[in-house]
Amino acid sequence: MARATRATAATATTRQSTRRSSRLNNQEIKNNAVVEIQQRPKRARKPIGSSSSLLEGGVSMLLGNFTECRRKADELDARSASLSKREDEARTLMQGIVIRESKATLAQLEEHFTCPLCYEIMAQPYSLNPGQCGHTFCALCILRHFFSRLHRACGGWHESVDCPMCRSLLVITPDRTPRLDITFPFVPNRTAAAMCESMIEKLSQSTASSSLVVKREESEGRWPGSECDMEWGRKKGKSKEEEEMEEENADLAGWREGGNTRTEWLKKDRQGKEEMTDLLRRWTSMRSQEFVNLKQRLGV
């Protein structure tokens, strides 16, 4: 019993000493924290004047950036104006070159491929057979000349038909059928036809491309806020030089794609080809009344 009592008393004493040491440790930690907090240096408050100086510095920086942006915008405006001027000069130069080439082409057409009967550019050129004279005419023009000598009463030719230029006589058309193909009085001039088609096509393409415009994207249309504030590659109206150029070259405008002169030439060329093809196909077996009907259709 005495030993058990002594053990219990020792255990109680150990517990009390442990509690005391823990309380002392906690008190020491609190004291150290308080001392540490008291020893921390206090932050110095910024004076009021320092924030205002910082604001002024930011404003001056923004003004400097704005001035620099404005200067760059002015430089870009000057460059765009210079480029626009160069584009106008290049456009004028290109228009001059195209117009000179078109005039030269039209002069060649008028000099070498003008029909002696209608005084226009030959449409579906045909020469007379036999080709003793070598003159060439529009298909419709030479058909009208040939059938003008046809007698309406009998539907036949009682005299030879001559060339309207050199008066070379053609073979008289036989009244009896079937006729020989060699008696057909016309021969297609394919060389002249190819030259006329090539030059007229060149005229249509050159006059259509004479108004050269530099293409830009829609986003490149304007410089917002600039002094020039101009449109790139676009013009609201035509300049005085362009109007004078168009007036001086009005004869070339008719040969443009969809122009009146070109449209009339294509129509005449198509009609001449149809009439000649139909006449050649039926030549050997055509009767007098059929000749008279063709003469009325041609309006002779």
Side-chain angles (χ1 to χ4, degrees):
M1 287 295 289
R3 290 182 181 177
T5 304
R6 290 176 186 175
T8 303
T11 303
T13 304
T14 304
R15 290 177 180 174
Q16 289 177 359
S17 61
T18 302
R19 291 174 184 174
R20 288 176 184 177
S21 61
S22 61
R23 284 199 298 267
L24 291 174
N25 290 335
N26 292 335
Q27 186 65 30
E28 187 178 355
I29 291 172
K30 290 180 181 179
N31 294 335
N32 292 336
V34 171
V35 172
E36 185 179 356
I37 292 173
Q38 291 176 354
Q39 290 179 354
R40 288 181 181 176
K42 296 183 179 179
R43 294 182 181 178
R45 294 183 178 179
K46 293 183 179 180
I48 299 176
S50 62
S51 61
S52 61
S53 61
L54 180 61
L55 180 61
E56 291 176 357
V59 171
S60 62
M61 185 181 297
L62 289 176
L63 289 176
N65 293 337
F66 177 77
T67 304
E68 181 67 17
C69 291
R70 186 67 179 181
R71 184 183 64 80
K72 291 183 179 180
D74 294 339
E75 290 180 357
L76 290 175
D77 290 338
R79 291 181 182 179
S80 63
S82 177
L83 289 174
S84 179
K85 183 178 179 181
R86 292 182 181 180
E87 288 173 1
D88 293 339
E89 293 175 354
R91 186 184 300 110
T92 303
L93 181 61
M94 290 295 297
Q95 287 178 351
I97 294 174
V98 170
I99 288 175
R100 283 195 296 271
E101 291 181 353
S102 300
K103 284 184 176 181
T105 302
L106 185 59
Q108 292 180 1
L109 274 173
E110 293 176 347
E111 181 179 0
H112 300 289
F113 301 100
T114 297
C115 178
L117 295 177
C118 64
Y119 298 102
E120 296 178 357
I121 306 301
M122 292 180 187
Q124 200 63 32
Y126 269 78
S127 301
L128 295 176
N129 181 33
Q132 297 175 355
C133 59
H135 292 109
T136 305
F137 312 88
C138 296
L140 287 179
C141 293
I142 196 59
L143 278 175
R144 291 188 179 113
H145 172 76
F146 181 75
F147 279 93
S148 65
R149 307 295 178 88
L150 178 72
H151 294 273
R152 290 181 180 272
C154 61
W157 289 266
H158 302 297
E159 57 185 7
S160 300
V161 181
D162 55 4
C163 172
M165 295 297 297
C166 61
R167 302 304 177 187
S168 297
L169 297 178
L170 302 179
V171 178
I172 298 177
T173 301
D175 293 333
R176 295 181 180 180
T177 56
R179 302 179 188 85
L180 297 177
D181 293 334
I182 197 174
T183 60
F184 189 71
F186 312 110
V187 177
N189 192 333
R190 305 196 183 281
T191 302
M195 291 296 296
C196 289
E197 292 177 1
S198 175
M199 289 185 178
I200 289 173
E201 185 65 23
K202 183 179 179 180
L203 275 177
S204 66
Q205 294 178 358
S206 61
T207 52
S209 61
S210 61
S211 56
L212 179 64
V213 176
V214 179
K215 294 184 179 180
R216 299 281 183 178
E217 298 293 336
E218 294 181 358
S219 58
E220 298 178 351
R222 291 179 178 271
W223 289 104
S226 62
E227 295 179 359
C228 298
D229 197 21
M230 64 182 178
E231 295 190 25
W232 284 59
R234 297 179 184 175
K235 287 189 176 181
K236 295 181 180 179
K238 296 179 180 179
S239 63
K240 186 177 180 180
E241 296 179 356
E242 291 177 346
E243 291 179 356
E244 292 177 355
M245 189 179 296
E246 287 186 358
E247 291 177 0
E248 293 176 357
N249 301 282
D251 52 344
L252 295 176
W255 291 104
R256 187 175 301 158
E257 191 72 29
N260 294 331
T261 308
R262 176 180 171 82
T263 302
E264 291 296 328
W265 183 88
L266 291 174
K267 181 180 178 181
K268 187 176 181 180
D269 185 79
R270 183 178 62 257
Q271 290 179 350
K273 183 178 181 179
E274 293 174 355
E275 293 293 348
M276 277 293 185
T277 303
D278 181 69
L279 180 62
L280 177 61
R281 181 176 56 83
R282 300 188 300 152
W283 176 257
T284 57
S285 60
M286 287 185 71
R287 303 289 181 177
S288 300
Q289 187 58 40
E290 292 176 318
F291 284 134
V292 173
N293 293 338
L294 179 57
K295 180 175 181 177
Q296 292 178 353
R297 187 168 70 247
L298 292 173
V300 180

